Amino acid sequence: MTGWLLRYEGLDPEGERLRESLCALGNGRFATRAAAPESRADGVHYPGTYAAGVHNRLVDRVDGREIANESMVNLPDWQSLTVRVDGGDWLDLAAVTVTDHVQELDLRRGVLTRRFRVEDDQGRRTRIAQRRLVSMADPCLAALDCTVLAENWSGELTVRSGLDGRVTNDGVARYRGLAGRHLVLEECGVGADGVLALTARTSQSRIRVGLAARHRVLVDGAPREVPPVPVDEPGWVAVDLTVAMAPGRRLTVEKMAGLCTSRDPGIGEPGEAAVDEVARAGGFATALARHELAWGHLWHRCDVRMEPAGRASLTLRLHVFHLLQSVSHHSIDLDVGIPARGLHGEAYRGHVFWDEVFVLPFFDLRLPEVSRAMLLYRWRRLPQARAAARAAGHRGAAFPWQSGATGREESQTVHLNPRSGHWLPDHSHLQRHIGLAVAYNTWRYHEATGDVDFLAQYGAEMVLEVASYFADLATYDPTDDRYDICGVMGPDEYHDALPWRGEPGVDDNAYTNVMAAWTLTRALQCLDVLPPERRREMLDLVDLRQHDLERWDHVSRKLRLCWHGGGVLSQFRDYDRLEEFDWAGYRRRYGDISRLDRILEAEGDSTNRYQVSKQADVLMLFQLLTADELYAVLDRLGYRHDRQTIPRTVAYYLDRTAHGSTLSKVVHSWVLARSDRRRAWGYFLEALESDVADVQGGTTAEGIHLGAMAGTIDLLQRAFTGLETRRDALWLDPCLPDQLTGMRFRLRYRGHRQVEVAITHDALVIGGDAHRAATLPLRVRDQEHRLDPRSSLAVPLRRPSRPRTPATGAPGPVTAGRRRPGSA
C-alpha cells in the first residue's frame, strides 16, 4: 500500500477471491468483482457483477421444509477476455511461467490495473497489461483495455472477448447446496457491426437484463480494422480478433460494455439500451477521462485525510472508495437500500440489514441526497411493514431484519453451522430493533439537513409508525408500574432464547428498550416540528388520537431496564442468571473464538447459557446516543445514575465480547474514545484491518463488510472529533488519540455546502462556505462561536492530560454545565 494505490505483487491463488472483493469496481448502480478477465468461476476465481436492486427468489427443500430465498443476482460477465498464440491454448496462468505480476487499484482515479509477463513451453515471452473501470460518470458503462506485447516471437495473436451468461450464484460455500441459477437467457449474438449483445431475465422477479460490448483494435497505438469472427456457444457470445505479431509489436483491444436492466429509469428495452450505450460511449480514453473527473469531484467532497499518512490512511480511503461504489448519486433513482456486503459478492444474499446506522452518517454530512434516497427505500416499504405488524397483532410498522426487493422479511428460518454440519433454527427475525434504526436514521438526517419538507412528506410517517409499533409491543406490568418488551433479540445475536425457557427471544433487552423510549420521545417531538396543518393530516394518516400520544408519553417514561452488579445495565432481564464463560480455556483450545456460537453448538452447548456477546449490544447505546441523550432517557425513565454508570457498564461488557462481527471493534473503539485513547486507537486499527486482512478467515472474499468500513470513517469524523448536529448548530469537541496527529475533511451542513475542518491536538480550524451569507453557529468545547462564511475560525484546544468525561463512547462530553450526572 502506497499513496492512493492498493498494490498486490505476485500470484496468490488462495487469496485471489479476497483480492477480487477488495479491488472490485462499481458506481452505486452496479459493481464487478476484480476477477481475472480470462477466468471463469472455479476454486480460485469468482467473476461476479451485481446491479443494485436486481433480486430473484428461488425455492429449496431443506430438512423436509420448503425454503424460499431471495438473492442479489450474479449477472452475465462482461469482462470475459482471453488470448492465445498461433491457435494454441487459451491463456491459463497456471499452465505458463508468470513473472512480474502486479495488480494495482488506484483509488483516486477508480481504475484497476493488472500487469504481468508470461513465458510458454516454447519459450515465447509476452507482456500483458490491462485496465478496467466501472464508470462513475456514465452509470450504465464499464470499460476494459488489454495490451499485449510480443517480446521475442512472431505469429498470430487471437484475442477472444465475450459476454458470458453461463453464470450462477455460487460464491458462498454454505449456500452451494441450494438453488443458484437465477437467469433465463433470452437472446445473444453478434451484430453486423461486430457489437456483442446478450439479454436475459430473472426467473421469478422477471427483471430483464441487457448487455452489449463494442471493440476497438489498435496496433502500436494506431487504430486498425480487424474483422471480428463470431463465436456462438450456448449461453455465451464472443468474437475472435486476430492480428499478426512480431517482436516488439503492441496490440491493444478496447472493450466498452453497457449494462441496462428493466429497473433503470429513462431507458426502453434493456438490450437495445445497452447497445445504444456502447454506441455513444466513444473510446476508452474518453470514458476514462469522464470517469476520473467524476471521481475527482467525489474525492473533493468525501476525502478524509489522516496525519501521519500511511497504511491506516490508505485503508481508510479504501473504505470511503467502497462506500461510494456501493451507494452513490447513481443509486438515488433506483429505489434500493444499502446491502450489508455492498455490491461486491453474494454473502447475506445482498440483503439490507441495519448497516445504514453506520453508513448514513457519512452521507448525511456529505451527500445528503443519497441519505434521503436510502430513507425513501424504507418509506416505500411501509405498507409491507404495516402488514407485518398487523399479522403479529400490533399497530404501526414492523420493518424486517433482512429486507430485499419488496420489504418482506427475508431472514432465513434455518442456517447452516459449517463447523458441525447441522441446519439450525434461525430466530434473527426477532431483532425488532431494526425499526428503531429506521427512526433513528430519519431523525439524524433531519438534524443534519434541517429538511423539514422530507420530514413532513415521508420521514415523520416512518418515525410515528415505528413508535406506534413499539408502544403497542410494550405490555404493562401493574405490580411494578413498568412496561416490558418481550420475545425479542438484541444486536448481540448470541442470545435468541433463555436456556430455561422453551420459546425464542429475550425480555427487556436494554438496547431495544432504551432506543424505544428515545424513539417515542422523538416521535412526539417530530409532531411539534411539523406545520400545524400537516400535523393534523399526519395524525389522520397513521390513525393516531390524543389518547395514543398520551400512552406514548407514558410508555416512554415507564419502559423497564434491568440492572445488576452494583449498577451495571443488564443486557436483558435475567442476564445476571447466566453463567460466566471460560474465556481463557476456550482461547487455549481453539485460538480464534470469534464464532463461539458455532464452536459451542458443535460441542452440544449454546451461547444462550453464558454471559457472552457476539458483538456490542448494550455498548451500541453509547455509540448511537450522546451521554446527554442517554442520561436524558434514564432520567425520563426514572432510573438513578451517577458519573460511573456509563464507564462501569462499558467495562463490564468489554470483557465479555467475542467480536464475532466486524462491527464490534468499531463500537468498542467508539466507547473508549474519551476514556482510553490508546485502546480506542488499537480497536480502530483492528477495525480498519478487518476486510483488508480478512480477519474472519474468508468472509471478505464473499463481499466486503460495508457497515464496518463506514464505521471506521465515522469514528474519525464523529467519535474522535466530538462532532454533533443538534440545536441548529455544529458541535465539536475533539479528543484525538495520541497516534493521530491531525485530520482534515469537508462537511455539508444544512445550507452550508463547503465546511472545511482541520483538527490537530492543539487547534481546530474551520472554514465556511463563501457562497453563503448566513453565519454558521458552532459550539466548540461548550464555547459558542459564529463562523463568518467568508473567513475561517481557529480555536485553540487545550490538550487534556486526563479524560474530561467518563467513558461516554459518544460524541459530546458530559459536563456539570450541561447535565448534572446522577439527577433523576
Side-chain angles (χ1 to χ4, degrees):
M1 290 185 172
T2 58
W4 288 77
L5 296 179
L6 177 62
R7 178 184 174 95
Y8 292 101
E9 296 182 356
L11 295 174
D12 180 13
E14 291 186 1
E16 180 64 19
R17 292 197 179 192
L18 171 62
R19 296 183 184 184
E20 291 175 356
S21 287
L22 293 177
C23 295
L25 299 173
N27 59 17
R29 184 186 163 277
F30 76 98
T32 296
R33 291 171 58 84
E38 72 272 11
S39 69
R40 289 199 67 203
D42 54 27
V44 175
H45 304 280
Y46 191 71
T49 293
Y50 308 94
V54 177
H55 295 85
N56 191 63
R57 192 180 306 279
L58 297 176
V59 178
D60 293 277
R61 293 195 67 80
V62 176
D63 288 346
R65 288 184 291 177
E66 195 172 85
I67 303 295
N69 285 302
E70 183 184 72
S71 303
M72 184 171 67
V73 178
N74 187 10
L75 301 179
D77 182 17
W78 65 267
Q79 293 189 116
S80 179
L81 185 146
T82 188
V83 301
R84 70 178 178 184
V85 177
D86 285 340
D89 294 333
W90 295 106
L91 179 64
D92 179 1
L93 297 194
V96 294
T97 301
V98 182
T99 57
D100 304 326
H101 190 281
V102 175
Q103 183 172 300
E104 289 181 338
L105 176 62
D106 187 331
L107 303 176
R108 190 194 297 272
R109 299 163 60 234
V111 176
L112 178 64
T113 303
R114 179 177 180 239
R115 301 184 300 274
F116 56 96
R117 173 192 280 175
V118 297
E119 182 174 345
D120 63 18
D121 56 5
Q122 297 182 40
R124 293 177 295 201
R125 294 191 303 275
T126 307
R127 286 188 177 273
I128 298 176
Q130 298 166 340
R131 294 180 295 173
R132 280 175 272 181
L133 63 89
V134 173
S135 178
M136 191 59 81
D138 302 291
C140 297
L141 185 69
L144 178 155
D145 77 348
C146 178
T147 297
V148 182
L149 173 67
E151 287 194 346
N152 65 345
W153 56 270
S154 298
E156 287 192 337
L157 176 73
T158 300
V159 177
R160 175 169 287 181
S161 176
L163 302 173
D164 191 351
R166 301 168 295 182
V167 298
T168 62
N169 276 47
D170 195 38
V172 179
R174 60 190 175 277
Y175 302 161
R176 285 179 190 149
L178 305 174
R181 187 168 295 279
H182 293 275
L183 290 175
V184 177
L185 292 182
E186 295 180 337
E187 295 181 77
C188 57
V190 183
D193 54 0
V195 172
L196 306 179
L198 182 152
T199 58
R201 62 172 172 82
T202 54
S203 61
Q204 173 269 332
S205 57
R206 299 190 180 276
I207 298 171
R208 299 193 69 245
V209 180
L211 282 89
R214 175 176 56 79
H215 302 88
R216 180 172 178 248
V217 178
L218 300 93
V219 177
D220 292 331
R224 175 176 293 188
E225 291 295 329
V226 177
V229 178
V231 180
D232 195 357
E233 297 180 6
W236 183 67
V237 60
V239 291
D240 286 351
L241 303 164
T242 302
V243 174
M245 301 290 283
R249 175 162 287 178
R250 180 180 285 104
L251 168 71
T252 299
V253 174
E254 297 179 354
K255 181 176 186 178
M256 311 301 293
L259 189 159
C260 299
T261 80
S262 55
R263 295 188 79 257
D264 296 334
I267 70 163
E269 194 279 320
E272 293 177 359
V275 172
D276 289 344
E277 187 72 34
V278 299
R280 62 173 177 264
F284 187 90
T286 300
L288 176 61
R290 288 175 51 77
H291 173 70
E292 289 176 340
L293 183 63
W295 267 111
H297 293 159
L298 281 175
W299 282 118
H300 179 76
R301 293 188 185 189
C302 299
D303 190 21
V304 180
R305 286 182 284 173
M306 297 171 56
E307 299 171 5
R311 180 183 175 91
S313 177
L314 178 62
T315 304
L316 188 81
R317 280 190 172 128
L318 178 70
H319 290 183
V320 175
F321 181 74
H322 283 305
L323 198 58
L324 294 171
Q325 291 196 129
S326 301
V327 187
S328 77
H329 52 290
H330 296 310
S331 313
I332 291 174
D333 291 333
L334 294 179
D335 183 30
V336 294
I338 300 174
R341 304 298 280 272
L343 301 174
H344 296 63
E346 296 161 15
Y348 300 163
R349 298 188 179 276
H351 291 164
V352 177
F353 292 71
W354 71 325
D355 297 71
E356 59 211 54
V357 161
F358 298 88
V359 172
L360 290 186
F362 175 86
F363 288 104
D364 287 345
L365 292 167
R366 288 175 179 81
L367 300 168
E369 60 274 13
V370 174
S371 290
R372 190 178 192 273
M374 298 303 105
L375 292 170
L376 283 175
Y377 165 84
R378 294 294 190 180
W379 178 81
R380 293 188 185 103
R381 284 149 187 82
L382 258 178
Q384 190 74 256
R386 288 185 178 114
R390 287 196 301 272
H394 296 295
R395 300 179 63 183
F399 284 94
W401 176 238
Q402 296 188 38
S403 180
T406 66
R408 62 174 268 185
E409 179 62 76
E410 300 294 348
S411 297
Q412 54 196 16
T413 56
V414 294
H415 68 272
L416 175 67
N417 180 355
R419 182 178 286 270
S420 68
H422 298 156
W423 285 94
L424 307 167
D426 191 315
H427 299 128
S428 59
H429 66 281
L430 295 177
Q431 295 189 72
R432 306 300 187 195
H433 60 83
I434 178 64
L436 301 170
V438 172
Y440 175 88
N441 292 330
T442 302
W443 187 254
R444 291 304 195 215
Y445 167 81
H446 167 68
E447 287 183 325
T449 64
D451 190 349
V452 176
D453 287 343
F454 176 81
L455 205 63
Q457 293 300 316
Y458 310 106
E461 188 177 0
M462 288 192 290
V463 175
L464 295 175
E465 289 288 47
V466 170
S468 184
Y469 173 72
F470 278 91
D472 200 49
L473 194 63
T475 56
Y476 185 63
D477 179 357
T479 59
D480 292 331
D481 190 26
R482 285 288 177 186
Y483 284 92
D484 301 298
I485 296 178
C486 301
V488 301
M489 281 179 66
D492 161 37
E493 295 187 341
Y494 271 3
H495 297 93
D496 65 352
L498 294 172
W500 52 82
R501 197 166 72 182
E503 65 272 17
V506 299
D507 301 336
D508 293 321
N509 171 253
Y511 174 87
T512 303
N513 285 15
V514 168
M515 291 307 298
W518 182 90
T519 298
L520 287 162
T521 307
R522 295 292 80 73
L524 295 170
Q525 186 179 351
C526 194
L527 287 170
D528 292 337
V529 172
L530 299 182
E533 183 175 348
R534 184 55 181 164
R535 183 182 191 274
R536 290 192 296 272
E537 292 174 349
M538 188 63 69
L539 290 172
D540 287 341
L541 179 65
V542 297
D543 192 23
L544 291 173
R545 300 294 178 262
Q546 185 60 35
H547 65 85
D548 296 312
L549 303 183
E550 291 171 358
R551 186 173 190 276
W552 289 10
D553 182 75
H554 191 236
V555 174
S556 73
R557 299 177 185 277
K558 292 293 182 177
L559 276 165
R560 188 191 307 273
L561 298 179
C562 301
W563 306 80
H564 70 274
V568 172
L569 182 57
S570 294
Q571 187 169 309
F572 47 81
R573 195 198 310 173
D574 292 328
Y575 178 85
D576 56 330
R577 292 178 58 188
L578 302 181
E579 299 177 32
E580 288 285 5
F581 186 70
D582 181 10
W583 293 95
Y586 270 78
R587 286 193 174 101
R588 284 194 301 270
R589 291 169 60 187
Y590 291 98
D592 180 6
I593 59 170
S594 59
R595 291 310 304 263
L596 272 176
D597 54 338
R598 293 175 176 175
I599 292 171
L600 292 176
E601 191 278 329
E603 293 182 347
D605 204 346
S606 170
T607 50
N608 282 327
R609 295 181 54 221
Y610 302 101
Q611 292 188 25
V612 299
S613 294
K614 175 183 175 182
Q615 59 190 3
D617 190 297
V618 175
L619 300 190
M620 274 293 299
L621 292 170
F622 311 136
Q623 179 187 18
L624 297 187
L625 304 180
T626 69
D628 280 1
E629 286 177 313
L630 179 63
Y631 286 149
V633 172
L634 295 182
D635 288 345
R636 189 177 183 89
L637 292 173
Y639 288 104
R640 295 191 60 82
H641 50 84
D642 55 40
R643 291 187 66 85
Q644 294 304 308
T645 297
I646 291 176
R648 185 167 50 239
T649 301
V650 167
Y652 189 86
Y653 291 105
L654 284 176
D655 295 333
R656 290 167 173 80
T657 305
H659 299 297
S661 164
T662 55
L663 297 172
S664 189
K665 290 180 180 177
V666 170
V667 178
H668 279 222
S669 177
W670 195 295
V671 301
L672 291 170
R674 298 275 149 178
S675 64
D676 191 336
R677 293 194 297 269
R678 182 187 60 81
R679 287 183 70 193
W681 183 253
Y683 278 122
F684 169 71
L685 293 180
E686 290 182 44
L688 272 182
E689 289 291 305
S690 59
D691 272 334
V692 172
D694 195 15
V695 297
Q696 291 192 328
T699 62
T700 303
E702 303 167 349
I704 54 99
H705 298 81
L706 198 65
M709 286 188 169
T712 60
I713 305 164
D714 204 28
L715 274 167
L716 280 185
Q717 87 169 9
R718 291 198 301 142
F720 296 151
T721 66
L723 173 64
E724 301 174 43
T725 55
R726 61 177 173 137
R727 299 182 194 170
D728 300 320
L730 273 179
W731 297 53
L732 289 146
D733 183 13
C735 187
L736 303 188
D738 292 341
Q739 298 86 341
L740 181 63
T741 59
M743 57 187 297
R744 291 174 176 269
F745 54 90
R746 290 183 176 89
L747 298 177
R748 179 176 169 183
Y749 175 66
R750 300 196 172 186
H752 299 267
R753 301 179 67 89
Q754 287 277 8
V755 180
E756 298 196 23
V757 181
I759 301 173
T760 66
H761 289 287
D762 301 316
L764 179 149
V765 179
I766 186 164
D769 184 349
H771 299 288
R772 290 282 298 174
T775 59
L776 174 63
L778 299 170
R779 284 185 69 96
V780 181
R781 290 193 172 168
D782 289 335
Q783 298 298 312
E784 292 187 3
H785 303 271
R786 298 189 72 81
L787 174 65
D788 185 330
R790 296 164 295 183
S791 63
S792 62
L793 174 70
V795 181
L797 301 175
R798 186 177 64 234
R799 190 173 180 181
S801 58
R802 61 181 182 177
R804 298 172 60 242
T805 64
T808 66
V814 180
T815 66
R818 290 168 63 188
R819 172 166 296 279
R820 183 171 60 85
S823 61

